mmCIF file of all heavy atoms in Angstrom:
data_model
loop_
_atom_site.group_PDB
_atom_site.id
_atom_site.type_symbol
_atom_site.label_atom_id
_atom_site.label_comp_id
_atom_site.label_asym_id
_atom_site.label_seq_id
_atom_site.Cartn_x
_atom_site.Cartn_y
_atom_site.Cartn_z
ATOM 1 N N HIS A 68 -3.533 1.017 0.777
ATOM 2 C CA HIS A 68 -3.189 1.713 1.929
ATOM 3 C C HIS A 68 -4.306 1.480 2.971
ATOM 4 O O HIS A 68 -5.507 1.518 2.689
ATOM 5 C CB HIS A 68 -3.203 3.248 1.684
ATOM 6 C CG HIS A 68 -1.861 3.655 1.231
ATOM 7 N ND1 HIS A 68 -1.568 4.875 0.665
ATOM 8 C CD2 HIS A 68 -0.592 3.056 1.201
ATOM 9 C CE1 HIS A 68 -0.317 5.050 0.401
ATOM 10 N NE2 HIS A 68 0.330 3.937 0.710
ATOM 11 N N GLY A 69 -3.825 1.340 4.261
ATOM 12 C CA GLY A 69 -4.768 1.317 5.408
ATOM 13 C C GLY A 69 -5.391 2.718 5.539
ATOM 14 O O GLY A 69 -4.768 3.667 5.472
ATOM 15 N N CYS A 70 -6.721 2.771 5.719
ATOM 16 C CA CYS A 70 -7.459 4.061 5.814
ATOM 17 C C CYS A 70 -6.956 4.919 6.967
ATOM 18 O O CYS A 70 -6.872 6.113 6.794
ATOM 19 C CB CYS A 70 -8.903 3.777 5.848
ATOM 20 S SG CYS A 70 -9.492 3.022 4.275
ATOM 21 N N PHE A 71 -6.695 4.272 8.045
ATOM 22 C CA PHE A 71 -6.408 5.020 9.242
ATOM 23 C C PHE A 71 -4.943 5.480 9.003
ATOM 24 O O PHE A 71 -4.636 6.677 9.179
ATOM 25 C CB PHE A 71 -6.387 4.206 10.524
ATOM 26 C CG PHE A 71 -5.876 4.904 11.722
ATOM 27 C CD1 PHE A 71 -6.535 5.970 12.352
ATOM 28 C CD2 PHE A 71 -4.650 4.525 12.322
ATOM 29 C CE1 PHE A 71 -6.112 6.553 13.357
ATOM 30 C CE2 PHE A 71 -4.161 5.112 13.385
ATOM 31 C CZ PHE A 71 -4.774 6.230 13.934
ATOM 32 N N HIS A 75 -7.302 8.219 4.892
ATOM 33 C CA HIS A 75 -8.231 8.365 3.678
ATOM 34 C C HIS A 75 -9.252 9.435 4.033
ATOM 35 O O HIS A 75 -10.100 9.305 4.963
ATOM 36 C CB HIS A 75 -8.884 6.966 3.572
ATOM 37 C CG HIS A 75 -9.777 6.884 2.389
ATOM 38 N ND1 HIS A 75 -10.659 5.888 2.316
ATOM 39 C CD2 HIS A 75 -9.837 7.599 1.240
ATOM 40 C CE1 HIS A 75 -11.295 6.009 1.050
ATOM 41 N NE2 HIS A 75 -10.815 7.025 0.574
ATOM 42 N N ALA A 76 -9.226 10.460 3.115
ATOM 43 C CA ALA A 76 -10.075 11.645 3.450
ATOM 44 C C ALA A 76 -11.645 11.224 3.485
ATOM 45 O O ALA A 76 -12.028 10.600 2.566
ATOM 46 C CB ALA A 76 -9.846 12.742 2.422
ATOM 47 N N GLY A 77 -12.261 11.697 4.478
ATOM 48 C CA GLY A 77 -13.695 11.350 4.540
ATOM 49 C C GLY A 77 -14.110 9.934 4.877
ATOM 50 O O GLY A 77 -15.305 9.641 4.834
ATOM 51 N N CYS A 78 -13.175 9.073 5.123
ATOM 52 C CA CYS A 78 -13.529 7.629 5.379
ATOM 53 C C CYS A 78 -13.709 7.488 6.944
ATOM 54 O O CYS A 78 -12.927 7.901 7.731
ATOM 55 C CB CYS A 78 -12.387 6.846 4.839
ATOM 56 S SG CYS A 78 -12.564 5.097 5.234
ATOM 57 N N ARG A 79 -14.660 6.603 7.191
ATOM 58 C CA ARG A 79 -14.963 6.448 8.574
ATOM 59 C C ARG A 79 -13.952 5.495 9.374
ATOM 60 O O ARG A 79 -13.814 5.577 10.536
ATOM 61 C CB ARG A 79 -16.392 5.883 8.864
ATOM 62 C CG ARG A 79 -16.598 4.457 8.576
ATOM 63 C CD ARG A 79 -17.937 3.921 8.621
ATOM 64 N NE ARG A 79 -17.940 2.604 7.989
ATOM 65 C CZ ARG A 79 -17.507 1.574 8.592
ATOM 66 N NH1 ARG A 79 -17.133 1.657 9.872
ATOM 67 N NH2 ARG A 79 -17.410 0.403 7.992
ATOM 68 N N LEU A 80 -13.141 4.827 8.536
ATOM 69 C CA LEU A 80 -12.060 3.999 9.096
ATOM 70 C C LEU A 80 -10.856 4.926 9.456
ATOM 71 O O LEU A 80 -9.932 4.496 10.075
ATOM 72 C CB LEU A 80 -11.564 2.949 8.101
ATOM 73 C CG LEU A 80 -12.564 1.828 7.607
ATOM 74 C CD1 LEU A 80 -11.859 0.918 6.621
ATOM 75 C CD2 LEU A 80 -13.041 1.110 8.875
ATOM 76 N N ALA A 81 -10.906 6.134 9.000
ATOM 77 C CA ALA A 81 -9.686 7.090 9.160
ATOM 78 C C ALA A 81 -10.069 8.034 10.159
ATOM 79 O O ALA A 81 -9.266 9.043 10.404
ATOM 80 C CB ALA A 81 -9.473 7.805 7.826
ATOM 81 N N TRP A 120 -7.677 1.983 -1.485
ATOM 82 C CA TRP A 120 -7.796 2.027 0.045
ATOM 83 C C TRP A 120 -8.482 0.735 0.519
ATOM 84 O O TRP A 120 -9.122 0.086 -0.132
ATOM 85 C CB TRP A 120 -8.750 3.256 0.255
ATOM 86 C CG TRP A 120 -8.241 4.571 -0.023
ATOM 87 C CD1 TRP A 120 -8.409 5.330 -1.097
ATOM 88 C CD2 TRP A 120 -7.208 5.258 0.674
ATOM 89 N NE1 TRP A 120 -7.631 6.411 -1.111
ATOM 90 C CE2 TRP A 120 -6.879 6.381 0.048
ATOM 91 C CE3 TRP A 120 -6.517 4.966 2.023
ATOM 92 C CZ2 TRP A 120 -6.012 7.417 0.523
ATOM 93 C CZ3 TRP A 120 -5.681 5.884 2.475
ATOM 94 C CH2 TRP A 120 -5.320 7.071 1.698
ATOM 95 N N GLU A 121 -7.981 0.544 1.704
ATOM 96 C CA GLU A 121 -8.514 -0.697 2.425
ATOM 97 C C GLU A 121 -10.014 -0.832 2.326
ATOM 98 O O GLU A 121 -10.537 -1.943 2.080
ATOM 99 C CB GLU A 121 -8.029 -0.380 3.908
ATOM 100 C CG GLU A 121 -8.639 -1.396 4.912
ATOM 101 C CD GLU A 121 -8.356 -0.797 6.406
ATOM 102 O OE1 GLU A 121 -7.622 0.243 6.481
ATOM 103 O OE2 GLU A 121 -8.677 -1.605 7.311
ATOM 104 N N CYS A 122 -10.666 0.331 2.509
ATOM 105 C CA CYS A 122 -12.189 0.136 2.463
ATOM 106 C C CYS A 122 -12.704 -0.156 1.058
ATOM 107 O O CYS A 122 -13.814 -0.711 0.923
ATOM 108 C CB CYS A 122 -12.765 1.428 3.000
ATOM 109 S SG CYS A 122 -12.489 2.941 1.984
ATOM 110 N N GLU A 123 -11.921 0.085 0.043
ATOM 111 C CA GLU A 123 -12.282 -0.258 -1.232
ATOM 112 C C GLU A 123 -12.080 -1.702 -1.568
ATOM 113 O O GLU A 123 -12.483 -2.207 -2.702
ATOM 114 C CB GLU A 123 -11.437 0.622 -2.289
ATOM 115 C CG GLU A 123 -11.671 2.052 -2.256
ATOM 116 C CD GLU A 123 -10.914 2.883 -3.323
ATOM 117 O OE1 GLU A 123 -9.640 2.722 -3.242
ATOM 118 O OE2 GLU A 123 -11.424 3.493 -4.170
HETATM 119 ZN ZN1 ZN B 223 -11.279 4.331 3.494
#
Side-chain angles (χ1 to χ4, degrees):
H68 276 168
C70 296
F71 174 73
H75 185 197
C78 175
R79 74 186 171 77
L80 299 178
W120 293 99
E121 170 189 1
C122 62
E123 293 180 301

